[in-house]
Amino acid sequence: MPRNKVTLDGNEAVAYVAYHVSEIAAIYPITPSSPMGESSDAWAAIGDKNIWGAVPQVVEMQSEAGAAGALHGAIQAGALGTTFTSAQGLLLMIPNMYKIAGELTSTVIHVAARAIAAHALSIFAHRARRHARGTHSVPAFL
């Protein structure tokens, strides 16, 4: 059976997979990760189901710390949860990342990062900005 081919950017491809294997997504749109949360929210609004036949709950929070806290609570309750953030937003999630790692719960935090450049408007993805996550025992797959 031939498969449909689509053209996507990296954010939409990541959001598509994350949405379809999650029960809850705690989001706070922050550039450059905004399209991931926005896509998930749009799919939930039209009732697109995940691989288990349920529509994931997408909750938009007021900050990155709020998204991390909501994610932490959801996975503590046994849900398959995810969130999307930027390299800057990841820094605001560190307190919850310590708790998640210490409680041996699992989740995926999708990070969209820009390159460190001389100009503040750099839009090039780069892994160097993710290294500020520190020593909280959360692995990063770069």
Side-chain angles (χ1 to χ4, degrees), residues 2-142:
R3 300 178 85 184
N4 292 334
K5 294 181 181 178
V6 296
T7 301
L8 317 163
D9 68 3
N11 279 337
E12 190 175 358
V14 167
Y16 183 85
V17 173
Y19 177 86
H20 287 91
V21 298
S22 296
E23 296 171 311
I24 186 166
I27 64 170
Y28 175 71
I30 183 170
T31 305
S33 66
S34 298
M36 290 187 274
E38 291 167 357
S39 294
S40 295
D41 196 26
W43 293 323
I46 62 171
D48 192 10
K49 295 181 178 176
N50 62 16
I51 61 173
W52 297 284
V55 176
Q57 184 177 2
V58 178
V59 182
E60 185 172 340
M61 304 306 291
Q62 294 295 316
S63 70
E64 288 293 345
L71 174 65
H72 180 216
I75 62 176
Q76 276 298 102
L80 295 172
T82 193
T83 191
F84 311 100
T85 190
S86 66
Q88 303 93 321
L90 188 64
L91 297 175
L92 297 172
M93 294 183 167
I94 288 175
N96 280 291
M97 292 169 70
Y98 274 109
K99 292 287 290 175
I100 290 167
E103 293 161 350
L104 303 177
T105 50
S106 60
T107 191
V108 178
I109 299 173
H110 303 277
V111 181
R114 292 184 181 140
I116 298 173
H119 196 275
L121 298 177
S122 174
I123 60 169
F124 300 104
H126 195 271
R127 63 186 175 86
R129 293 183 76 181
R130 291 180 241 174
H131 292 294
R133 65 187 167 74
T135 59
H136 42 64
S137 303
V138 176
F141 299 101
L142 307 174

